[in-house]
Amino acid sequence: MKILVLNSGSSSLKYQLFDMKDESVLCKGLVDRIGLDGSYIKHNTNGNEVVKEYKIENHSSAIRLVLNFLLDKDLGVIQSVDEIDAIGHRVVHGGEYFSDSVIVNQEVKSAIKACFDLAPL
């Protein structure tokens, strides 16, 4: 099982892809300065780090860029996005609703929205 873990901030996106067979990190990286001048991706596979500048206008573009790197014939670690079995993302504040990992459903989305005032970004 491969799990993509994301940590999205207001102008950054950190990521790691884990292979849960042996709990190894297949790759990790950072997309930084999203929506700002000088935006870039730093992608690391087995100690081989690549840094490239791109115009990254929003978080949707950042996710597409990460997927492109995960699938890249030279730098990538998967052949298809179908190899990703699950995606995890941290939530800034779960209030009194969440203290452990949960599967996101409509009830969870509503509870997260109820916490927007605590962490609007």
Side-chain angles (χ1 to χ4, degrees):
M1 172 183 269
K2 292 181 179 136
I3 300 175
L4 178 60
V5 177
L6 304 173
N7 182 343
S8 183
S10 58
S11 64
S12 67
L13 174 69
K14 297 175 190 163
Y15 63 94
Q16 290 189 25
L17 183 64
F18 292 92
D19 187 340
M20 296 312 294
K21 284 188 300 189
D22 58 4
E23 298 184 8
S24 62
V25 176
L26 298 175
C27 70
K28 62 183 177 178
L30 165 70
V31 181
D32 205 8
R33 302 191 51 81
I34 298 169
L36 304 169
D37 289 338
S39 51
Y40 65 91
I41 186 170
K42 185 187 302 185
H43 180 82
N44 188 312
T45 306
N46 298 324
N48 180 23
E49 185 171 272
V50 176
V51 179
K52 292 188 178 186
E53 270 193 44
Y54 291 91
K55 182 175 175 77
I56 307 166
E57 295 182 3
N58 53 45
H59 284 75
S60 294
S61 298
I63 291 287
R64 280 192 294 276
L65 185 60
V66 168
L67 291 174
N68 288 341
F69 269 76
L70 293 177
L71 294 163
D72 185 86
K73 67 179 180 90
D74 296 322
L75 303 171
V77 292
I78 58 175
Q79 301 293 313
S80 166
V81 292
D82 293 335
E83 293 180 47
I84 300 172
D85 298 294
I87 299 173
H89 191 289
R90 61 108 180 134
V91 174
V92 171
H93 200 303
E96 59 191 39
Y97 305 108
F98 308 111
S99 59
D100 292 310
S101 297
V102 296
I103 294 176
V104 178
N105 57 27
Q106 193 55 49
E107 183 180 331
V108 170
K109 287 180 185 181
S110 295
I112 291 170
K113 286 180 183 176
C115 297
F116 277 6
D117 289 342
L118 300 173
L121 291 177

